[in-house]
Amino acid sequence: MAAFSVACILIPNDAIDYGTAGIGIIISQLTGFNLAICIFLVFAPFLFFSYFALGLEFFLKALVGSFVYTVGIQLFGKVPFELNTEHFIAVAFGGAILGAGLSIILKNGGCIDGSEIFANILIDKIYQKKGKEYSMSLILVLFNVFVYLLVFIFIDENKALMSLLVFIVASTVINHFTDHFEAVKQVTIITKDPEGIIKDITDKLHKTCTVIESSGAISGENKTLICYVNYFELDKIKHIIASHEGSFSTVSTIDEIITYN
């Protein structure tokens, strides 16, 4: 879906994808090099670092996703397809299809854009240094502002504005289906094995928990753990919780964390 949108709708209507794919498209349009290869080469360094930052499972999902995406770009680029409508409508429609495709990828623990990996690594480094959890929103916005400035300066002002529309529409669709994937997630865990879960979270996620004494009307004495993670860490913490019997959890989106020193 994402590859079809970029190759058959967005690029023919003077718009580009955002993130590292956008950088790949800029390089291709400025140099004339193969589009799919440019996109993959820009994404490759981020994919490499994702192995160390997010683990083997995420790396394999991102590798499969990026491979399918770049092959799709190559194949759809040869398909004769035309939307006989205004550029504005075509770009809005293409952005919605792109956002829907990316939503499916993100909801299944994958990724085909290096900007999200970059944001995750940067936030993790900040957490390890300061012990504070931040949203990916600002980093992603700044990254894409940089991409659109490149388009504005080196390619065309109209393409930059059309591409901004793609970002707005696609982000709106993604946020609808993933409940603001770029935001901080609060995971509330009720368990009879708090020590085991805390140890796994500390060892595998390098994070800590808030522990609250609690009890259930039926289950009796237990403990409630509260942990803050980002979207790409959700799969890991879900696996951790599932490995400890008698535990259940809820996940909610946090708009802001305020720390008072």
Side-chain angles (χ1 to χ4, degrees):
M1 290 173 69
F4 169 77
S5 173
V6 171
C8 294
I9 301 177
L10 300 182
I11 292 179
N13 285 280
D14 298 326
I16 67 171
D17 195 355
Y18 55 91
T20 52
I23 296 175
I25 295 170
I26 293 170
I27 294 172
S28 175
Q29 293 190 355
L30 290 176
T31 63
F33 292 156
N34 181 274
L35 175 59
I37 293 175
C38 287
I39 291 175
F40 186 80
L41 289 178
V42 172
F43 182 61
F46 297 93
L47 183 63
F48 173 77
F49 286 114
S50 75
Y51 173 78
F52 302 99
L54 297 167
L56 178 61
E57 183 178 354
F58 177 87
F59 169 79
L60 292 175
K61 288 181 177 180
L63 179 63
V64 171
S66 60
F67 176 77
V68 173
Y69 177 67
T70 50
V71 170
I73 290 284
Q74 182 69 21
L75 294 177
F76 284 125
K78 299 176 181 179
V79 173
F81 181 86
E82 183 179 356
L83 277 179
N84 294 316
T85 185
E86 294 180 7
H87 282 353
F88 182 86
I89 297 174
V91 169
F93 180 64
I97 295 176
L98 174 65
L102 295 178
S103 297
I104 295 171
I105 294 169
L106 289 168
K107 283 183 74 68
N108 287 278
C111 177
I112 60 170
D113 189 85
S115 61
E116 287 131 9
I117 296 173
F118 170 74
N120 180 84
I121 293 173
L122 187 58
I123 286 171
D124 186 60
K125 294 297 181 185
I126 293 172
Y127 177 84
Q128 303 219 6
K129 188 172 182 179
K130 296 186 176 182
K132 296 180 180 179
E133 191 73 63
Y134 289 94
S135 164
M136 289 190 285
S137 299
L138 179 60
I139 299 171
L140 292 175
V141 169
L142 291 176
F143 191 100
N144 287 296
V145 165
F146 171 73
V147 173
Y148 296 139
L149 282 175
L150 291 179
V151 178
F152 190 89
I153 295 169
F154 293 106
I155 300 182
D156 181 75
E157 306 92 64
N158 289 330
K159 283 190 177 183
L161 294 175
M162 283 293 189
S163 301
L164 178 60
L165 175 62
V166 172
F167 176 68
I168 293 171
V169 173
S171 297
T172 301
V173 173
I174 291 170
N175 286 337
H176 177 73
F177 286 106
T178 63
D179 187 25
H180 297 271
F181 88 95
E182 80 284 358
V184 177
K185 303 297 179 181
Q186 176 181 299
V187 182
T188 303
I189 310 160
I190 298 176
T191 180
K192 288 186 174 294
D193 183 20
E195 291 81 9
I197 292 180
I198 292 170
K199 184 179 185 304
D200 283 348
I201 289 174
T202 302
D203 292 344
K204 297 177 181 179
L205 294 177
H206 308 292
K207 297 198 170 181
T208 186
C209 298
T210 297
V211 183
I212 303 172
E213 297 288 344
S214 57
S215 63
I218 297 175
S219 60
E221 295 296 322
N222 53 50
K223 289 191 177 180
T224 299
L225 312 178
I226 298 175
C227 184
Y228 297 98
V229 299
N230 62 54
Y231 193 85
F232 294 114
E233 293 170 326
L234 273 179
D235 264 355
K236 286 185 179 180
I237 200 167
K238 286 178 181 178
H239 287 312
I240 290 171
I241 297 167
S243 67
H244 296 268
E245 292 185 3
S247 302
F248 73 95
S249 65
T250 60
V251 178
S252 54
T253 297
I254 302 300
D255 293 323
E256 185 178 8
I257 295 178
I258 303 174
T259 304
Y260 298 100
N261 296 322

